[in-house]
Amino acid sequence: MSSRRHFLQKITGSVIAISVLPKTGMTMEPHLQDLPYEGPVLRVAIMGLGGYGNRVAEAMKACKKAKLVGVISGTPSKILDWRAKYTIPVKNCYNYENFDEIKDNKDIDAVYVITPNALHHDQVIRLAKAGKHVICEKPMAINAIEAREMIDACEKARVKLLVGYRMHFEPNTLEVIRMRKAGDFGKIRFFQGLCGFKIGDPTQWRLNKALSGGGSMMDIGIYAINGARYMVGEDPVWITAQETKTNTEKFKEGVDETIQFQMGFPGGAVASCLSTYSLNNLDRFFLDGEDGFAEMLPSTGYGPIKGHTHKGELNKPIVTHQTLQMEEMAAIILENKQPIVPVDGKEALKDLTIIDAIYLAVTSGKRVELNLNS
Ligand code: NDP
């Protein structure tokens, strides 16, 4: 290899590294991340070329261990655009009718499902039957029964099932988890999770139960559920929940606008959470223990994630969440790497069991007992 080509590869490696390095206070000294990568690469097809699919595809440009090589889409014009933009060969392009044929495509290892929630179940099961590893967006399914069927299908097909829990790799989030495990906050007593945004267009699939499976809880409230679990470090044993609706035209039957819910944990901690489609500026986690606290604000947006604890500011590197997620997921699939916080189907099943319980608590008005580890 000529030294010029070698130099250019090194430069490419440096560019690749930028999105997972801190944006401030960082010197660009030679670093392991700057070296050319020669290990295995996870070849990924994205299913559903919408808003988030585009974000993931752009972020994957900076990945070393994962590469976008295919698409599955119901919109031929998008396939054309993506083929040109990401140099995707025509043989790696599918639609929703013919994507079972992906089983014969040796050039695709995994499919990232980024379609409306209620479609995930059937799509993931079809992909498992086609022998492909699956990364599925959150919520993995629209209830726990579906989630179990997806886990079973992937186990039977001996493929991995991962869920797009990007916060499980976010450095400041992991720092709070590290501090909690080290006992820095003492006995955990309280968590607050506020998650919401004002949703616009009333005709979008997120407000159509047949495609969304629910309302704000499926979309944004799930961050408070999942966050409570990784911040407290336990799974809840009871749930209470109350729903309020100010607009029954926009938020029809089965599409929750706002739900407040409370969770009790085995160690005695309680969580108080809000999920809503009717308020902006709600992206905050607060964890309180007998010896200290952590506040994340914002806590789950695309970043930068900011926060502080009783010991000072959190100052871990600012990352592009989806780049880091795909690097880590490639390592989980290719190298059997174990993430600090699980991102598999069983993790998603817990969140969906809690969502089922929240909806039951809303309709029954009663406290729902849970045993997520049975
Ligand atoms: P979009 O509406 O922007 O895109 C969804 C895409 O799914 C469409 O563009 C379309 O792509 C495909 N699709 C297939 N069938 C349908 C259908 N019947 N109606 C509408 N679209 C269809 O949604 P998002 O990208 O925002 O969300 C997709 C998934 O990603 C959801 O599960 C959501 O919860 C999750 N998400 C996760 C985020 C995270 O931070 N982890 C952030 C945002 C979303 P095509 O035309 O190519 O077929």
Side-chain angles (χ1 to χ4, degrees):
M1 183 191 300
S2 75
S3 60
R4 179 178 154 74
R5 196 167 146 217
H6 189 66
F7 172 72
L8 285 175
Q9 282 197 349
K10 281 201 157 184
I11 293 289
T12 309
S14 302
V15 173
I16 282 168
I18 284 171
S19 74
V20 292
L21 290 176
K23 285 192 176 135
T24 51
M26 182 74 193
T27 53
M28 291 302 291
E29 285 168 13
H31 188 276
L32 196 63
Q33 286 164 302
D34 295 331
L35 298 173
Y37 175 71
E38 284 169 4
V41 172
L42 186 75
R43 298 161 305 169
V44 180
I46 290 185
M47 172 185 286
L49 315 181
Y52 198 62
N54 272 278
R55 184 177 285 273
V56 170
E58 281 301 296
M60 279 181 71
K61 281 183 187 168
C63 286
K64 289 191 279 186
K65 292 186 174 178
K67 181 172 165 50
L68 175 64
V69 298
V71 291
I72 301 165
S73 169
T75 313
S77 60
K78 289 187 195 170
I79 295 183
L80 274 180
D81 288 350
W82 279 52
R83 279 191 56 204
K85 201 168 172 190
Y86 300 107
T87 325
I88 293 171
V90 70
K91 70 173 187 59
N92 287 0
C93 299
Y94 299 86
N95 59 40
Y96 299 112
E97 284 72 47
N98 69 11
F99 76 79
D100 308 273
E101 293 167 16
I102 207 166
K103 71 175 186 306
D104 299 320
N105 193 327
K106 303 278 174 269
D107 297 331
I108 296 174
D109 305 309
V111 178
Y112 195 159
V113 175
I114 317 185
T115 54
N117 312 337
L119 308 180
H120 295 171
H121 171 262
D122 289 5
Q123 291 166 341
V124 167
I125 290 175
R126 281 172 66 185
L127 290 165
K129 285 184 179 157
K132 299 299 172 187
H133 298 296
V134 190
I135 302 169
C136 179
E137 255 318 314
K138 44 58 56 180
M140 185 179 84
I142 56 170
N143 56 49
I145 291 174
E146 281 195 1
R148 269 197 205 92
E149 289 171 355
M150 294 157 81
I151 293 167
D152 289 349
C154 290
E155 279 178 357
K156 195 170 162 204
R158 294 169 186 256
V159 295
K160 287 216 161 92
L161 171 58
L162 306 182
V163 183
Y165 287 128
R166 61 187 160 77
M167 300 314 299
H168 292 202
F169 306 105
E170 196 281 317
N172 284 301
T173 304
L174 291 180
E175 173 61 6
V176 174
I177 292 169
R178 186 199 64 74
M179 289 177 71
R180 188 249 305 144
K181 285 182 178 168
D184 289 4
F185 307 125
K187 186 175 163 59
I188 301 297
R189 301 294 296 271
F190 180 72
F191 172 81
Q192 184 189 45
L194 305 178
C195 296
F197 64 94
K198 253 187 195 171
I199 198 160
D201 179 11
T203 65
Q204 64 185 285
W205 66 260
R206 281 180 165 79
L207 298 175
N208 172 358
K209 186 169 195 252
L211 287 170
S212 62
S216 75
M217 186 59 63
M218 287 286 172
D219 194 30
I220 191 80
I222 191 168
Y223 285 98
I225 295 168
N226 190 255
R229 292 178 45 241
Y230 63 64
M231 295 284 271
V232 173
E234 294 177 7
D235 292 328
V237 289
W238 59 257
I239 304 278
T240 50
Q242 311 79 37
E243 180 176 11
T244 45
K245 205 173 262 199
T246 62
N247 186 341
T248 51
E249 191 50 42
K250 188 169 182 179
F251 305 103
K252 296 200 167 54
E253 182 69 30
V255 178
D256 49 283
E257 176 187 346
T258 301
I259 294 182
Q260 292 189 64
F261 59 100
Q262 302 77 37
M263 299 189 277
F265 293 85
V270 287
S272 172
C273 302
L274 177 70
S275 164
T276 184
Y277 266 159
S278 288
L279 277 172
N280 284 332
N281 310 310
L282 280 178
D283 184 1
R284 177 178 186 262
F285 283 179
F286 180 67
L287 183 72
D288 210 6
E290 287 181 352
D291 300 333
F293 71 92
E295 182 183 42
M296 319 278 292
L297 179 74
S299 54
T300 66
Y302 297 140
I305 299 300
K306 291 187 179 148
H308 61 277
T309 73
H310 60 291
K311 291 187 165 175
E313 294 294 315
L314 292 166
N315 58 8
K316 292 292 170 191
I318 294 166
V319 299
T320 301
H321 295 180
Q322 296 79 10
T323 306
L324 185 55
Q325 175 200 320
M326 291 308 292
E327 284 293 271
E328 291 295 311
M329 287 191 166
I332 291 169
I333 291 172
L334 298 171
E335 300 157 21
N336 216 17
K337 184 173 177 183
Q338 297 302 308
I340 293 167
V341 186
V343 285
D344 56 12
K346 286 178 182 156
E347 172 76 3
L349 171 62
K350 289 183 178 182
D351 288 340
L352 287 157
T353 305
I354 294 170
I355 290 181
D356 285 351
I358 288 172
Y359 285 146
L360 179 61
V362 163
T363 50
S364 68
K366 294 193 175 136
R367 170 168 144 156
V368 176
E369 310 295 324
L370 280 174
N371 183 358
L372 295 182
N373 295 303
S374 62

